[in-house]
DNA sequence: TATATTCATCGTATATTTGCGATATAAAAT
DNA sequence: ATTTTATATCGCAAATATACGATGAATATA
């Protein structure tokens, strides 16, 4: 973009947008699904479950980790990832904001367009 | 990207990622908040509420409309937008998938990393 | 110790997104 | 009929995101 106007928005809007961006790629959705399914934290198995090169998967994992949606620790030769449910559930609950705003205005039921 | 591997993912993962992408920008979050607050559908007021040029806002509105999160109709000289709550609420409910997967594996409580 | 395995990071190519001025379109006002 | 107003679209420039091969670092194995 010509100018980055991101900082001119409210902090909570930026935060929600950043979290949404973190899951705005099918590979990262797929990674989260794999992690949600696994009882034990997996690592390179994620690569096998995706149609992407190892380097690319590692990059997606890094993105999810940097936003906090997943945690990762190195266990010997392998890396172990899992969902940080605190962050994840809090993220989901943020969407309630829209319903609250609508409820205050009692708008949701009436479709005007 | 060198190669577009998007189509090699599951359709529902692509759909969820696309919806997440639609709200992955603070301007689009802000637009949805404005629309949720308003009893009547607004139009150019959105432009005034954002730190962006009219052309840019129009582009964001187009994105939200094309994914279906908002509806828009032309009313005389102005355009009227509002949230499509059916689509929006269904989108939010899709996030339940992760919790379900985790519950089946009874993983959510135990943090392994 | 040498080698293999696992994963992260670097560098790079390409694709997509973002932003805006300029312009088009269409209704309303003069 | 002309001008103003509201909005969409086009075309471009700059920023980001995506993908991967090559390489590095660290551990495990022969």
């Amino acid at each position: 973009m010509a100018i980055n106007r991101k900082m001119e928005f409210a902090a909570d809007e930026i935060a929600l947008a950043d979290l949404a961006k973190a899951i705005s790629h099918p590979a990262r959705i797929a990674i989260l699904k794999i992690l949600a399914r696994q009882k034990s934290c997996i690592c390179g198995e994620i690569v096998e479950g995706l149609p992407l090169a190892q380097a690319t998967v590692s990059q997606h994992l890094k993105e999810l980790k940097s936003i906090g949606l997943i945690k990762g620790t190195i266990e010997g030769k392998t890396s172990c990832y899992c969902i940080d449910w605190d962050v994840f559930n809090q993220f989901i609950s943020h969407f309630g904001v829209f319903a609250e705003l609508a409820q205050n205005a009692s708008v949701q039921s009436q479709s005007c367009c």
Side-chain angles (χ1 to χ4, degrees), chain A residues 4-70:
Chain A
N4 190 343
R5 299 220 174 275
K6 189 175 177 183
M7 301 315 287
E8 301 180 34
F9 290 92
D12 62 325
E13 290 169 354
I14 295 171
L16 188 54
D18 283 345
L19 279 163
K21 182 175 304 196
I23 61 164
S24 72
H25 191 288
R28 295 195 289 273
I29 296 280
I31 288 171
L32 289 173
K33 278 194 182 177
I34 291 172
L35 291 178
R37 255 193 295 266
Q38 297 288 339
K39 214 174 191 79
S40 64
C41 291
I42 44 166
C43 40
E45 295 169 278
I46 297 171
V47 175
E48 287 179 47
L50 298 182
L52 296 171
Q54 177 265 322
T56 308
V57 173
S58 195
Q59 209 167 302
H60 284 303
L61 286 166
K62 188 183 177 184
E63 267 185 89
L64 287 170
K65 193 177 176 185
S66 78
I67 199 86
L69 280 172
I70 68 175

Side-chain angles (χ1 to χ4, degrees), chain A residues 41-44 65 70-82:
Chain A
C41 291
I42 44 166
C43 40
K65 193 177 176 185
I70 68 175
K71 293 179 283 187
T73 52
I74 298 173
E75 290 194 348
K77 196 163 55 175
T78 68
S79 277
C80 167
Y81 288 100
C82 63

